[in-house]
């Protein structure tokens, strides 16, 4: 009787193109995260650093949505119905933080 390991997941047949795409996705996300990490410890705190972090975060979110949520294969209006509100939401958060800081300064 042959011993079968039921705890191991194996995809048959293996698709080298899909495996390569997964590794490429992981590499791209790793590089973007490494750039964020380097910027965090080498740049001076300020508007430019915050803008770069926001931009890189949006790029990572877009890439994750395109690959892991399979929106890259979907129609473009569906993709834009998710990305455009995300951009406006980020803008709203920045605007509210700026206005909140201005009001705090005006009170003193």
């Amino acid at each position: 009787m042959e011993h079968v390991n039921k705890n191991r997941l194996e995809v048959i047949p293996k698709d080298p193109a899909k495996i390569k795409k997964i590794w490429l996705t992981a590499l791209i996300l790793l590089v973007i995260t490494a750039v964020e990490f380097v910027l965090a410890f080498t740049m001076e705190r300020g508007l430019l650093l915050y803008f770069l972090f926001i931009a890189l975060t949006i790029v990572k979110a877009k890439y994750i949505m395109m690959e892991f949520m399979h929106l890259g294969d979907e129609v473009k209006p569906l993709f834009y119905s998710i990305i455009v509100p995300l951009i406006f939401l980020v803008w709203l958060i920045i605007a509210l933080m700026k206005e909140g800081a201005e009001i705090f300064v005006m009170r003193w």
Side-chain angles (χ1 to χ4, degrees):
M1 186 156 103
E2 186 179 324
H3 176 68
V4 178
N5 186 359
K6 293 184 180 183
N7 295 330
R8 184 174 172 207
L9 177 67
E10 188 172 334
V11 178
I12 300 174
K14 293 181 181 178
D15 187 1
K18 287 184 181 181
I19 294 171
K20 183 179 178 183
K21 188 173 183 180
I22 290 171
W23 280 109
L24 181 64
T25 300
L27 179 66
I28 290 171
L29 293 174
L30 176 71
V31 168
I32 293 173
T33 304
V35 168
E36 288 176 337
F37 187 83
V38 168
L39 291 176
F41 289 105
T42 59
M43 285 186 68
E44 214 175 285
R45 301 291 180 261
L47 193 59
L48 177 63
L49 179 64
Y50 300 145
F51 175 75
L52 288 174
F53 270 126
I54 291 169
L56 288 173
T57 301
I58 289 174
V59 167
K60 280 196 323 189
K62 175 187 176 282
Y63 197 75
I64 288 169
M65 284 184 356
M66 296 294 282
E67 293 300 322
F68 295 120
M69 295 174 66
H70 306 289
L71 290 180
D73 302 328
E74 297 293 330
V75 293
K76 292 299 176 187
L78 176 62
F79 167 73
Y80 288 121
S81 70
I82 295 172
I83 286 294
V84 173
L86 174 68
I87 292 170
F88 281 122
L89 182 64
V90 169
W91 172 80
L92 176 66
I93 291 170
I94 293 169
L96 290 175
M97 288 175 61
K98 184 175 176 352
E99 289 296 319
E102 294 291 329
I103 290 172
F104 181 73
V105 169
M106 288 174 55
R107 293 181 114 183
W108 299 102

